[in-house]
Amino acid sequence: MAYCCDCKNPIHSGAKKCHHCGSYQNWIRHLNTFALFTGFSLTLLSIWTIPFISGAFQSKQAEIATSIIAGESNKLEFMIANTGNQPAAITSIEIDSKMSFGIGTWYLENQLAGSLLEPGQAKVLNASNGSPIPSPLSTQVENILGSKEDLKKNCTLVIQYVELNGSNKTFNYPFACVPVNFNAPRGELSDNQ
């Protein structure tokens, strides 16, 4: 007479399985513990390796985002950020205007030209070219006009940059702007604002 390894009830000597609780009495009884240990180990291993595996399949690229803060007839202040996972080198910033008069492109000088914008980094820039440029509508005016009618995004802030792999990219940010008055003294907006 022998006793079950799990429930301790009497069983026949040499029995491979307990007729009371159904547990195996030989080496097979350790499989449940082994399976539990193996499952737990694989779970920990998969949790630990997820960042490495997802990083291997994630595309490496810079992603530019921007928001205009303020502007005058000769200066544009805006925030630029790299929301991607690779650095970007800003090569040029310009304003393209599609107004019925004042169509053109204004190339702007800025502090970031030729420097890297690292992933997760954001900067506030003042860009100008020393002459009148289309200026954005103020936030207050944009809020008033935007609630009454569809506000035309008649200008585009164009940011050109180079990714780490050497590819040239362009980011376009449309905004509502005031026409340029070339006769106005420096620092003044046109009468059409």
Side-chain angles (χ1 to χ4, degrees):
M1 177 68 71
Y3 292 94
C4 174
C5 297
D6 287 335
C7 69
K8 307 296 183 211
N9 284 320
I11 57 173
H12 294 287
S13 291
K16 294 184 181 186
K17 192 173 183 183
C18 174
H19 66 277
H20 298 286
C21 68
S23 65
Y24 288 96
Q25 302 301 304
N26 54 7
W27 63 271
I28 296 175
R29 73 173 191 252
H30 298 292
L31 285 181
N32 282 343
T33 306
F34 178 74
L36 181 64
F37 176 75
T38 304
F40 182 72
S41 300
L42 289 175
T43 302
L44 284 178
L45 183 63
S46 65
I47 291 171
W48 183 69
T49 58
I50 283 174
F52 300 112
I53 293 171
S54 66
F57 294 106
Q58 191 177 36
S59 66
K60 307 275 187 201
Q61 63 183 12
E63 290 183 30
I64 299 297
T66 190
S67 178
I68 294 177
I69 299 169
E72 299 172 5
S73 65
N74 62 351
K75 179 177 75 171
L76 182 67
E77 183 180 14
F78 63 98
M79 180 173 45
I80 184 170
N82 181 357
T83 59
N85 55 13
Q86 289 291 308
I90 306 301
T91 55
S92 75
I93 297 174
E94 57 193 60
I95 296 176
D96 281 340
S97 171
K98 304 292 184 238
M99 293 180 277
S100 57
F101 59 95
I103 295 175
T105 300
W106 288 264
Y107 296 95
L108 305 177
E109 296 174 7
N110 65 84
Q111 316 84 289
L112 261 187
S115 62
L116 284 180
L117 191 60
E118 296 292 338
Q121 187 179 30
K123 295 198 177 224
V124 174
L125 299 181
N126 287 304
S128 67
N129 65 5
S131 64
I133 61 173
S135 58
L137 290 176
S138 69
T139 307
Q140 294 85 0
V141 172
E142 206 172 319
N143 288 340
I144 291 168
L145 293 178
S147 64
K148 294 185 179 176
E149 59 187 61
D150 188 26
L151 194 60
K152 271 191 175 178
K153 309 280 186 176
N154 50 0
C155 285
T156 304
L157 181 64
V158 180
I159 300 170
Q160 295 180 355
Y161 60 98
V162 177
E163 291 186 324
L164 197 59
N165 64 6
S167 60
N168 292 310
K169 301 283 184 164
T170 302
F171 173 78
N172 296 304
Y173 181 78
F175 65 98
C177 67
V178 178
V180 176
N181 183 353
F182 292 101
N183 298 326
R186 242 178 129 191
E188 291 183 20
L189 295 175
S190 71
D191 295 333
N192 299 326
Q193 61 180 342

